[in-house]
């Protein structure tokens, strides 16, 4: 009897309760989903995920404050054609009786009434297991599952309620679809649900707005944002819904909304107010202090957080903050980071609450990271603290000074040191300053810094191997920049000796050190004319491992190897290596100032050999416009030579000579640079009709460089001395003087000599051989330079339409036009342009301020070079050859 009395007291069957177990009325607002704001953006991808969730018993929408969880689910529920029971949790719901009383009432309010006799908890602090069993049985017997949303579930983080919910969820089977909206992971056995595939999870990363969604949200607020601005805003807010909405509200008050969204000060905004109130101030004092202090670092571990706070409880606090989605994001391997906007606001708050503490926190972070973190982070915090001596010493001791030249993006170690001044006299600090200046090719400031560092090391009795190795690297670079091959070799020798006393694992950690040394020494050897030794060092630099760390010296070395091939007449090999250098730069995203100019200059020189003059000019212009460094004597000489050959091809020999005369200054003169300058001077004199002077310009070098011997032979032949020309060619080494750019020119000189002596058969054989060798590498320039004697021989030669740049177009009779083998003079081009305008001879003469006879002379030359006999044919032929 007593048992039945207790049973009746514990469960009421009718009427339905109007009050909770405490005797207080149910709060109706807790059963109503919030209304969507006017500028709410419905995101179909997330609504689809919630639709999919109806196929699993449990759906978890888990994200930080302001992630848009509640509005997402409320909008989705409102659009369903089925009733949804909604319950907004309350801290009082930690009492199981209250929680279940409210949950049962939510079912009733939604029209999903539990069966009569299930009852309701009578006591706030407890709920009978039998009631839960009856509820589960009732739900399992329904034809359609009941959909229940519990919003702000993090407010009831009790193990008892979690266990009871799991019990009902399990035994209700297909009769219940429970959707938990929460800031922190519930205590339910989620691992079992995941293994069984009985859960749908929508987490913070999925809740984040994409740039397209952010732009649509702002448009709903009346703001139009460019794609770039939308990406920037999403990157800064990490797609956080509340942050985007608050930014939009602030921007609507601004005269320049887009600028406001780009430049708003997070620390003093409605966003800051929101995060400080909703996240920071909800935490205990110790947790607030920890969050403020870790805001100075990009990422942190519990040990680093302890070092910043001076306590030892960071591991426990961070684990809790992670569970609560309190804008602390795990990165793996016990590393964490703060949401970037939250971190920005915390830093501003830290400066207001604790002026001056930020510098000390950076100093502590630098010390801890030097033992347990990355060098990049160590230096960033050391420099942020203004502890230049510590930062410079850390860089040099780690053998990372080469990264001041090779580091890109987040690995750029030069940026933190940008504000460093001379300060105290320490070798490490002077080395870093010297490296910073030399990286910018500033010899005027860099060399004195380097010498000062060397003096300080000479006066120090300690054997600072990292410092001396850093000096050797910078000395090799300085020697390269000043054109001092001997000093570069000495520096490389010292570096090799010093590296033997450095642990192999430390050298392996910085492969850029030896790769840079090899590139510098290779360039210096090339400048000295030691081509074989240069090629060996450069080839070794190319094969050095290291990925992005060695990308810059690899592309630098490839550019120099390309130059070696071009100087030897191997245009195809030069092009392959130059393109490989550019691909290497593009692959690793090397910025323009870090790229070697040599690869682009070689491509320009190859384009001249192929008579692609506009392409060559564009490449040269790009080198100049991009600000590629030509302080390196090798690059300066390559720039002068490529420009000079283009000027020769365009018919401006005077400017070509001036170009090679201005090759820059170097301590030691380069033999190949001087020899090739003589080549340009000889070609200019030959173009000016003075073959004797052309030959004389090459006399000192003709027997030293095959290209000079071939050019001298051509000059002698033009002067009428066939025997001397052939004698020069006979001195060339077997099997040939070099690559196709030289062998083709040599064959054409022999062919012209044979033609002059009446040996037409030999001339034809030689021209055919030259065409065959040239075709593989599309070398047109040697045939342009040859002169009119070649035209009859070309008429009987095998197909050679490739000699016409741009392809073999055919004339009206179906024949391919013969190539131009002699350049039009500037005045002939002037006359040609006026022919195309249908001007008469007299009109051309008046327009050019010359006599009619002078115009007729130019017309004869024009007809001869274009292989035509009439005005109309000359215009048509010029258009086919793209001369007009």
């Amino acid at each position: 009897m007593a048992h039945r009395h207790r049973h009746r007291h514990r469960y009421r069957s009718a009427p339905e309760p109007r009050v909770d177990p405490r005797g207080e009325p149910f709060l109706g607002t807790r059963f109503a989903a919030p209304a969507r704001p006017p500028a709410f953006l419905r995101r179909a991808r997330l609504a689809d995920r919630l639709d999919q969730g109806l196929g699993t018993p449990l759906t978890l929408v888990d994200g930080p404050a302001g992630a848009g969880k509640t509005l997402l689910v409320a909008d989705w529920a409102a659009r369903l054609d089925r009733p949804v029971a909604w319950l907004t949790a309350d801290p009082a719901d930690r009492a199981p009786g209250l929680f279940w009383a409210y949950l049962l009432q939510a079912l009733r309010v939604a029209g999903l009434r539990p069966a009569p006799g299930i009852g309701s908890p009578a006591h706030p602090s407890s709920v009978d297991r039998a009631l839960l069993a009856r509820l589960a049985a009732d739900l399992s017997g329904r034809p359609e599952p009941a959909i229940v949303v519990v919003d702000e579930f993090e407010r009831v983080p009790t193990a008892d309620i979690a266990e009871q919910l799991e019990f009902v969820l399990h035994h209700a089977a297909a009769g219940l679809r429970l959707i938990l909206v929460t800031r922190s992971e519930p205590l339910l056995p989620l691992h079992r649900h995941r293994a069984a595939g009985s859960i749908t999870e929508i987490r913070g990363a999925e809740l984040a707005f994409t740039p397209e969604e952010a732009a649509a949200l702002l448009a709903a607020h009346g703001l139009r944002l460019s794609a770039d601005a939308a990406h920037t805003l999403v990157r800064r807010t990490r797609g956080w819904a509340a942050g985007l909405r608050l930014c939009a509200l602030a921007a609507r008050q601004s005269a320049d909304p887009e600028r406001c969204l780009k430049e708003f000060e997070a620390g003093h905004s409605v966003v800051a107010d929101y995060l400080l109130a909703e996240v920071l101030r909800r935490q205990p004092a110790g947790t607030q202090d920890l969050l403020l202090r870790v805001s100075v670092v990009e990422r942190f571990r519990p040990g680093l957080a302890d070092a910043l706070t001076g306590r030892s409880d960071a591991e426990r606090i961070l684990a809790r903050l992670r569970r609560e989605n309190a804008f602390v994001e795990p990165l793996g391997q016990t590393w964490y980071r703060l949401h970037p906007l939250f971190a920005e606001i915390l830093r501003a708050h830290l400066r207001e609450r604790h002026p001056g503490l930020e510098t000390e926190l950076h100093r502590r972070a630098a010390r801890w990271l030097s033992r347990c973190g990355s060098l990049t982070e160590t230096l960033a915090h050391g420099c942020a603290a203004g502890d230049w001596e510590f930062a410079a010493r850390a860089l040099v001791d780690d053998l990372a000074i080469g990264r001041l030249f090779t580091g890109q993006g987040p690995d750029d170690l030069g940026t933190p040191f940008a504000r460093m001044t001379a300060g105290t006299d320490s070798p490490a600090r002077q080395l870093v300053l010297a490296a910073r200046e030399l990286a910018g090719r500033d010899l005027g400031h860099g060399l004195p810094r380097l010498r000062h560092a060397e003096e300080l090391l000479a006066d120090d009795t300690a054997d600072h191997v990292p410092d001396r190795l850093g000096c050797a690297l910078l000395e090799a670079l300085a020697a390269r920049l000043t054109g001092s091959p001997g000093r570069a070799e000495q520096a490389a020798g010292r570096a090799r000796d010093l590296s033997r006393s450095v642990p192999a694992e430390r050298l392996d950690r910085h492969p850029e050190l030896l790769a840079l040394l090899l590139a510098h020494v290779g360039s210096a050897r090339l400048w000295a004319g030691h081509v074989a030794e240069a090629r060996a060092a450069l080839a070794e630099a190319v094969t050095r491992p290291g990925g992005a760390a060695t990308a810059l010296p690899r592309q630098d070395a490839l550019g120099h190897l390309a130059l070696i091939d071009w100087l030897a007449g191997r245009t195809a090999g030069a092009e392959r290596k130059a393109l490989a250098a550019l691909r290497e730069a593009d692959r690793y995203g090397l910025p323009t100032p870090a790229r070697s100019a040599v690869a682009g200059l070689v491509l320009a020189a190859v384009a001249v050999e192929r008579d692609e003059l506009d392409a060559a000019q564009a490449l040269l212009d790009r080198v100049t416009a991009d600000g590629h460094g030509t302080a390196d004597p090798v690059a300066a000489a390559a720039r002068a030579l490529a420009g000079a050959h283009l000027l020769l091809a365009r018919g401006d020999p005077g400017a070509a000579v001036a170009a090679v005369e201005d090759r820059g200054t170097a301590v030691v003169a380069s033999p190949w640079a001087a020899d090739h300058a003589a080549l340009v001077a000889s070609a200019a004199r030959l173009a000016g009709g003075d073959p004797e002077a052309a030959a004389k310009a090459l006399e000192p070098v003709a027997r030293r460089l095959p290209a000079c011997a071939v050019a001298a032979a051509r000059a002698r032949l033009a002067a009428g001395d066939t025997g001397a020309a052939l004698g020069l060619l006979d001195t060339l080494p077997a099997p040939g003087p070099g690559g196709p750019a030289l062998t083709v020119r040599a064959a054409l000189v022999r062919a012209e000599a044979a033609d002059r002596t009446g040996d037409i058969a030999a001339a034809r054989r030689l021209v055919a051989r030259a065409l065959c060798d040239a075709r593989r590498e599309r070398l047109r320039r040697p045939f342009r330079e040859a002169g009119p004697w070649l035209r009859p021989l070309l008429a009987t030669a095998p197909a050679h339409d490739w000699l016409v740049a741009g392809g073999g177009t055919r004339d009206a009779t179906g024949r391919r036009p013969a190539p131009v083998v002699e350049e039009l003079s500037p005045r002939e081009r002037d006359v040609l342009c006026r022919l195309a305008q249908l001007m008469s001879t007299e009109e051309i003469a008046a327009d050019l301020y010359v006599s009619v006879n002078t115009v007729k002379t130019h017309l004869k030359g024009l007809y001869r070079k274009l292989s035509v006999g009439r005005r109309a044919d000359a215009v048509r032929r010029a258009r086919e050859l793209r001369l007009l």
Side-chain angles (χ1 to χ4, degrees), residues 145-421:
I147 302 173
V148 179
V149 175
V150 182
D151 188 23
E152 300 187 32
F153 187 68
E154 74 278 356
R155 294 187 171 197
V156 285
T158 67
D160 288 346
I161 292 177
E163 182 185 351
Q164 293 158 4
L165 262 180
E166 179 62 23
F167 173 82
V168 172
L169 191 62
H170 175 71
H171 291 288
L176 176 62
R177 293 295 180 259
L178 178 62
I179 302 171
L180 298 181
V181 183
T182 178
R183 292 187 186 185
S184 61
E185 195 165 281
L187 297 176
L188 296 169
L190 299 180
H191 60 285
R192 289 209 298 266
H193 284 283
R194 290 170 183 142
S198 60
I199 184 173
T200 299
E201 297 182 77
I202 302 176
R203 298 277 184 167
E206 219 173 337
L207 291 167
F209 275 65
T210 65
E212 294 74 21
E213 290 170 345
L217 176 66
L218 292 168
H221 284 79
L223 300 170
R224 299 294 173 184
L225 208 59
S226 67
D228 287 343
H231 276 84
T232 300
L233 186 60
V234 168
R235 186 168 57 250
R236 192 173 181 191
T237 60
R238 203 75 59 77
W240 178 46
L244 291 170
R245 288 193 179 92
L246 293 170
C247 287
L249 292 173
R252 288 175 65 179
Q253 310 301 317
S254 171
D256 187 349
E258 183 157 335
R259 182 176 180 182
C260 174
L261 289 170
K262 285 182 178 180
E263 301 177 1
F264 78 94
E265 295 184 23
H268 302 86
S269 66
V270 291
V271 181
D273 296 338
Y274 182 93
L275 284 173
L276 292 175
E278 289 292 320
V279 182
L280 184 64
R281 290 179 185 135
R282 286 191 175 196
Q283 301 297 335
T287 303
Q288 290 188 36
D289 181 65
L290 181 143
L291 288 170
L292 288 170
R293 288 170 180 261
V294 298
S295 68
V296 303
V297 294
E298 290 294 324
R299 61 176 189 149
F300 49 90
R301 274 179 164 166
L304 176 53
D306 285 337
L308 295 173
T309 61
R311 302 196 308 270
S312 58
D313 55 354
E315 186 170 7
R316 175 180 57 79
I317 294 174
L318 292 172
R320 177 177 62 78
L321 291 171
R322 174 189 175 182
R323 288 195 304 271
E324 294 177 357
N325 278 318
F327 289 83
V328 174
E329 304 168 357
L331 298 176
Q333 299 181 332
T334 73
W335 285 97
Y336 296 86
R337 70 179 174 193
L338 296 175
H339 185 287
L341 204 57
F342 189 37
E344 191 177 342
I345 290 164
L346 288 174
R347 284 193 293 272
H349 202 55
L350 173 70
R351 294 178 194 121
E352 291 179 1
R353 187 184 289 188
H354 304 290
L357 180 59
E358 190 173 5
T359 298
E360 171 60 20
L361 292 174
H362 280 301
R363 189 189 64 79
R364 291 188 194 179
R367 261 71 181 169
W368 189 91
L369 288 164
S370 68
R371 301 187 301 272
C372 309
S374 74
L375 178 66
T376 303
E377 292 170 307
T378 298
L379 298 180
H381 290 289
C383 293
D387 196 343
W388 303 114
E389 181 57 35
F390 167 83
R393 175 49 56 198
L395 177 77
V396 173
D397 284 350
D398 200 73
L399 300 184
I401 198 164
R403 285 179 58 186
L404 293 175
F405 302 92
T406 63
Q408 310 302 331
D411 290 329
D412 183 5
L413 300 189
T415 302
F417 288 100
R419 296 182 295 109
M420 186 173 75
T421 56

Side-chain angles (χ1 to χ4, degrees), residues 708-771:
C708 291
V710 173
R714 183 174 172 230
R716 284 296 176 196
L717 189 60
D721 194 343
T722 304
L726 293 175
L728 283 166
L729 294 179
D730 290 340
T731 64
L732 295 174
L742 297 183
T743 59
V744 168
R745 284 182 169 86
L748 288 175
V749 172
R750 289 187 183 277
E752 184 179 1
D755 182 65
R756 290 193 178 197
T757 58
D759 191 348
I760 303 301
R764 286 175 177 167
R765 284 196 306 271
L766 288 163
V767 169
R769 189 173 77 190
L771 284 168

Side-chain angles (χ1 to χ4, degrees), residues 756-842:
R756 290 193 178 197
T757 58
D759 191 348
I760 303 301
R764 286 175 177 167
R765 284 196 306 271
L766 288 163
V767 169
R769 189 173 77 190
L771 284 168
C772 182
D773 289 348
R775 181 170 189 162
R776 288 193 296 270
E777 302 193 12
R778 307 195 308 279
L779 299 176
R780 302 183 184 93
R781 194 75 231 149
F783 298 91
R784 296 280 194 271
E785 298 166 350
W789 68 270
L790 184 57
R791 186 177 297 106
L793 294 174
L794 283 177
T796 59
H800 49 265
D801 55 287
W802 57 271
L803 279 176
V804 179
T809 55
R810 298 173 184 266
D811 62 17
T813 65
R815 295 176 300 179
R816 290 186 175 91
V820 176
V821 295
E822 189 174 354
E823 279 298 309
L824 301 183
S825 70
R827 186 57 83 184
E828 287 168 346
R829 285 179 177 269
D830 291 338
V831 171
L832 177 62
C833 290
R834 285 157 179 80
L835 283 182
Q837 298 172 26
L838 303 179
M839 295 174 66
S840 67
T841 304
E842 291 75 13

Side-chain angles (χ1 to χ4, degrees), residues 84-110:
V84 176
W86 185 283
L87 173 63
T88 300
D90 187 89
D93 293 343
R94 297 185 182 194
L98 279 175
F99 175 80
W100 285 103
Y102 264 91
L103 187 62
L104 288 165
Q105 185 67 11
L107 289 168
R108 298 185 189 101
V109 169

